[in-house]
Amino acid sequence: MKILVIGGGGREHAITWRLAQETGVRLWASPGNPGIARVATCLAPPRSGVDGYLQVADSIQPDLTVVGPEAPLVAGLTDAFQSRGFRVLGPARNAAQLEASKIFAKHVMAEAAIPTAGYRVTQTPDEASACIRDFRYPLVLKADGLAAGKGVVIADNLPEAESALRTLRSSFGPRILIEEFLQGEEASFIVLSDGRNVLPLEASQDHKTIHDDDKGPNTGGMGAYCDGRILTAAQTAEIMDRVIRPTIHYMEAQGTPFSGFLYAGLMMTQQGPKVLEFNVRLGDPEAQSLLHRIQGGFANALFAAASGKLGGVTLDWKSSPSVCVVLASAGYPDQPRTGDPISGVEQAEDTGAVVFQAGTRAGATALETAGGRVLGVTAAGVDLRQAIDNAYRGVAAIHFDGMQFRKDIGRKGLKRW
Ligand code: AMP
Ligand code: GLY
């Protein structure tokens, strides 16, 4: 089977790394990165946008295209590929609105009675200003539209909310969602769907802020772990019954079926799970920890989901937990510096860790940094403690100037062991 993976980050390295271990799979990636190039043929799209990827697909004639990031899905890659006769895993543009518009997602949640934070949608600056005077604090302000993790602000008081409103409006436009602040532990619950059938993945947990103990500004994610103890069987059943199945059924009933990876970002509150956001793809870095634990059946599951035939399909999971520690460049998340030489990737891999590459490029003499999140050092262990230690042993082998990483990835999960 010829598979083309769209994207060039750590998540796409994890997808191609996993697929490369399965028999009968030949792999291409576009644009890919130096890590992905070790397991797949990387092709730069000849021009930007969906048309560039279509040209790549025309030259390969893949049996399956797997889309990693949200932007090409929101831009209609799936629609364009399907009308050219290509089989694609990833939602069509209409269904990708679940991530592209937080207001659309709230509308779906209201219609399908899916538990989420109480909210108001404001369309004008006056409406928003009036709303933040009435609302209970802390409150959460969210821009509508894709904001690469920068569109959410938690405000503790009115002056903070006013200042956040100004910033969000000037960066992302006037439509602002104002939302109740929820307390609890977050979990990432991702499922694979063919539009009707659902195959849940194990739960994982991201670490969103740049500093330890959930301090500092939000990032795309500084590390993740995947461990069967994050949710109980009862919690998983409740999430499937109250969040996932109602969403999939609602989208199908609307004539905009969701096929691909549906990611529910959840707050596990005292009243049960509540949805913080939907994403229409695998999380990054959650994917790195998830795919490290999948033993087999991945290519088959992706092909089945893209073909409307996911019923009865299963995945084979390792029981050992996994941990992915992200190494970020100097200046991330605000102004990531690029061009710093990276050393120690092979030594890290000699410790048994897998080093997924994200913002890297081949420099004149060595691999060098080329983006905010640079590497994701991933390892397993017989228990979570050992998985954490193994991942950090890999981290210790790697160096680049200004390297930032959190020291507490996975620590929250230790209380469940
Ligand atoms: P989102 O992009 O909507 O997932 O928001 C980014 C992050 O902001 C989440 O992962 C949470 O840590 C936090 N957050 C978002 N909405 C809420 C909420 N209603 N209550 C508490 N924290 C929230
Ligand atoms: N790690 C969070 C995300 O992928 O959106």
Side-chain angles (χ1 to χ4, degrees):
M1 179 173 19
K2 288 158 79 173
I3 303 183
L4 167 63
V5 175
I6 303 293
R11 163 185 48 215
E12 291 76 30
H13 190 183
I15 293 170
T16 48
W17 171 83
R18 178 61 250 163
L19 289 173
Q21 295 170 61
E22 306 207 350
T23 46
V25 172
R26 290 167 63 203
L27 279 170
W28 284 259
S30 184
N33 70 34
I36 296 173
R38 289 160 55 181
V39 291
T41 304
C42 294
L43 295 173
R47 54 176 139 142
S48 64
V50 168
D51 281 351
Y53 293 124
L54 259 182
Q55 278 181 253
V56 171
D58 279 337
S59 71
I60 297 167
Q61 296 292 315
D63 301 300
L64 173 67
T65 299
V66 179
V67 187
E70 63 278 16
L73 295 167
V74 173
L77 184 146
T78 298
D79 314 63
F81 271 50
Q82 284 176 343
S83 59
R84 191 79 70 101
F86 291 121
R87 181 183 280 107
V88 189
L89 183 72
R93 188 205 309 250
N94 283 337
Q97 287 302 305
L98 276 176
E99 175 165 357
S101 167
K102 288 187 185 291
I103 294 174
F104 174 81
K106 281 291 198 189
H107 171 77
V108 170
M109 289 185 250
E111 293 278 308
I114 292 162
T116 184
Y119 68 100
R120 289 262 310 273
V121 176
T122 65
Q123 306 277 358
T124 65
D126 283 351
E127 241 183 295
S129 301
C131 184
I132 59 172
R133 283 196 176 76
D134 293 347
F135 226 86
R136 268 246 314 267
Y137 282 81
L139 57 72
V140 186
L141 298 139
K142 298 187 177 183
D144 203 32
L146 296 181
K150 299 209 165 97
V152 176
V153 180
I154 295 167
D156 286 325
N157 50 50
L158 183 61
E160 274 182 32
E162 280 169 336
S163 137
L165 260 188
R166 278 193 296 275
T167 317
L168 290 178
R169 270 204 303 261
S170 67
S171 306
F172 305 109
R175 275 158 49 106
I176 307 279
L177 192 66
I178 297 169
E179 184 170 294
E180 167 201 8
F181 178 80
L182 298 176
Q183 253 157 347
E185 203 172 314
E186 284 182 55
S188 303
F189 194 83
I190 305 175
V191 302
L192 183 61
S193 179
D194 62 3
R196 178 170 295 173
N197 301 292
V198 176
L199 173 61
L201 307 187
E202 295 265 4
S204 54
Q205 218 169 34
D206 190 9
H207 298 65
K208 292 238 156 92
T209 66
I210 185 88
H211 300 308
D212 286 10
D213 301 321
D214 298 331
K215 301 265 166 44
N218 267 354
T219 70
M222 291 298 290
Y225 69 101
C226 175
D227 139 26
R229 301 190 185 196
I230 292 174
L231 298 174
T232 63
Q235 285 173 317
T236 302
E238 188 178 7
I239 293 164
M240 289 296 288
D241 289 345
R242 296 189 62 201
V243 175
I244 302 296
R245 285 197 196 95
T247 307
I248 296 294
H249 288 162
Y250 177 85
M251 297 301 284
E252 188 186 10
Q254 295 302 301
T256 53
F258 185 96
S259 88
F261 288 104
L262 178 65
Y263 166 137
L266 301 168
M267 189 70 89
M268 302 305 296
T269 73
Q270 297 212 313
Q271 295 82 45
K274 294 194 180 183
V275 176
L276 295 175
E277 65 168 343
F278 282 123
N279 293 320
V280 299
R281 52 177 171 79
L282 281 169
D284 186 341
E286 288 95 325
Q288 290 84 316
S289 62
L290 280 160
L291 294 177
H292 196 275
R293 285 194 57 203
I294 293 178
Q295 305 210 86
F298 191 55
N300 178 49
L302 299 185
F303 190 85
S307 312
K309 295 190 175 134
L310 194 58
V313 172
T314 55
L315 285 167
D316 192 6
W317 292 86
K318 290 182 214 161
S319 58
S320 44
S322 60
V323 172
C324 168
V325 180
V326 169
L327 308 183
S329 57
Y332 182 72
D334 295 330
Q335 297 245 294
R337 189 172 78 198
T338 60
D340 288 306
I342 302 166
S343 63
V345 170
E346 279 172 23
Q347 288 82 346
E349 289 180 333
D350 287 344
T351 71
V354 181
V355 181
F356 293 119
Q357 298 193 25
T360 61
R361 66 181 174 222
T365 54
L367 192 68
E368 60 184 40
T369 62
R373 292 187 291 171
V374 178
L375 302 170
V377 183
T378 309
V382 289
D383 57 22
L384 184 59
R385 174 81 264 164
Q386 208 188 82
I388 293 171
D389 290 347
N390 290 344
Y392 280 103
R393 191 169 318 119
V395 169
I398 294 177
H399 174 80
F400 50 88
D401 280 350
M403 178 170 115
Q404 307 187 69
F405 64 94
R406 278 179 63 156
K407 320 277 181 308
D408 65 343
I409 304 302
R411 192 190 289 162
K412 252 187 221 151
L414 290 174
K415 61 179 177 285
R416 287 182 277 265
W417 283 81

